[in-house]
Amino acid sequence: MKKSLFVSSVLFLLLGALRAQNKNESNFKRFGFRAGVNFSHVNFAKGVPPPVVPIETNWKAGINIGFLMMVKIADDLYFQPEYAYSQMGGKVKNSDSAYTLNYFSMPLLLKYQVHEKFSLMVGPQFDLLINAKKNVKGNSINITHDTEERSLAAVAGVEYHLTSTFSICARYMLGFNHIGLGQRSDVQEFKYETAQLMACVRF
């Protein structure tokens, strides 16, 4: 039910932007797709309360792929909502365990065109959990229903435009809220840190 509401809100946002464009045909809009890799880290030290015995984790690679839209707000300033699938997680150091969490993600970004080749972007990102797994010594355990479903983060990034339709982008994402693992047993909390590298194609 929550996932359906999330998808509906995304569609409502996109349709609203399209209606606004129809009212003013001089406005700029472009659609596109993006795909790339996440390097994410689950920081248990930022949980509340922090673990009595420190849990050190390594960064873990995952994929991200999605749809985007650019809407011109003013000269060199754009609103860029996105709807994506994003894979995040982390590996516990000195252990054979790792976490993989898959999300529906919705970044809502403001983009400023600093130069014809460079753009800066900033904004919030909302994530809704699809599924979560913990891998221990090669055995996969489904922890979806024992994991906090929502995540909120701040995103900042830079984009380099190779052509008018193709660009590469680097972003850093810092989680705001605590993500609880083991909500129905022994709760452990963490905050996300994620670096993203992506390629974008616009039409």
Side-chain angles (χ1 to χ4, degrees):
M1 179 64 180
K2 292 178 181 177
K3 292 180 175 63
S4 297
L5 290 173
F6 183 79
V7 173
S8 298
S9 67
V10 174
L11 293 175
F12 179 80
L13 176 67
L14 295 178
L15 288 172
L18 287 172
R19 290 194 187 100
Q21 292 294 335
N22 290 334
K23 292 180 180 179
N24 188 350
E25 293 182 357
S26 65
N27 281 352
F28 170 96
K29 71 171 183 292
R30 294 184 72 176
F31 300 91
F33 297 93
R34 65 171 176 86
V37 61
N38 293 332
F39 297 97
S40 55
H41 170 53
V42 291
N43 193 337
F44 287 98
K46 293 186 177 181
V48 178
V52 176
V53 178
I55 302 174
E56 297 185 38
T57 55
N58 289 321
W59 295 73
K60 187 176 185 295
I63 63 171
N64 70 73
I65 184 168
F67 166 85
L68 62 87
M69 179 174 66
M70 281 179 61
V71 180
K72 188 170 185 178
I73 299 175
D75 289 343
D76 300 321
L77 184 64
Y78 304 87
F79 174 54
Q80 182 169 297
E82 302 177 1
Y83 182 47
Y85 165 81
S86 188
Q87 188 180 69
M88 296 188 282
K91 297 179 180 179
V92 179
K93 284 184 179 180
N94 304 317
S95 170
D96 292 325
S97 62
Y99 296 95
T100 301
L101 299 96
N102 299 312
Y103 289 93
F104 287 122
S105 297
M106 186 172 66
L108 301 175
L109 305 175
L110 284 177
K111 177 185 288 188
Y112 181 66
Q113 193 84 25
V114 179
H115 181 268
E116 64 178 7
K117 291 291 186 180
F118 288 97
S119 298
L120 299 177
M121 61 190 73
V122 65
Q125 177 169 309
F126 304 91
D127 300 294
L128 185 66
L129 185 69
I130 302 172
N131 59 61
K133 293 181 180 179
K134 181 178 181 180
N135 190 290
V136 182
K137 296 181 179 180
N139 297 315
S140 182
I141 305 169
N142 191 318
I143 58 170
T144 304
H145 299 296
D146 212 18
T147 303
E148 168 62 41
E149 292 183 332
R150 291 165 291 274
S151 177
L152 172 64
V155 179
V158 60
E159 186 171 13
Y160 179 71
H161 303 270
L162 296 169
T163 69
S164 60
T165 59
F166 184 74
S167 64
I168 55 176
C169 176
R171 299 179 187 175
Y172 175 71
M173 186 182 80
L174 181 64
F176 279 155
N177 66 311
H178 297 93
I179 308 298
L181 295 171
Q183 296 188 104
R184 301 179 184 179
S185 51
D186 295 324
V187 178
Q188 289 181 323
E189 293 185 342
F190 67 86
K191 284 188 176 182
Y192 274 120
E193 294 177 72
T194 304
Q196 297 179 320
L197 295 175
M198 294 175 287
C200 302
V201 178
R202 294 179 179 83
F203 305 98

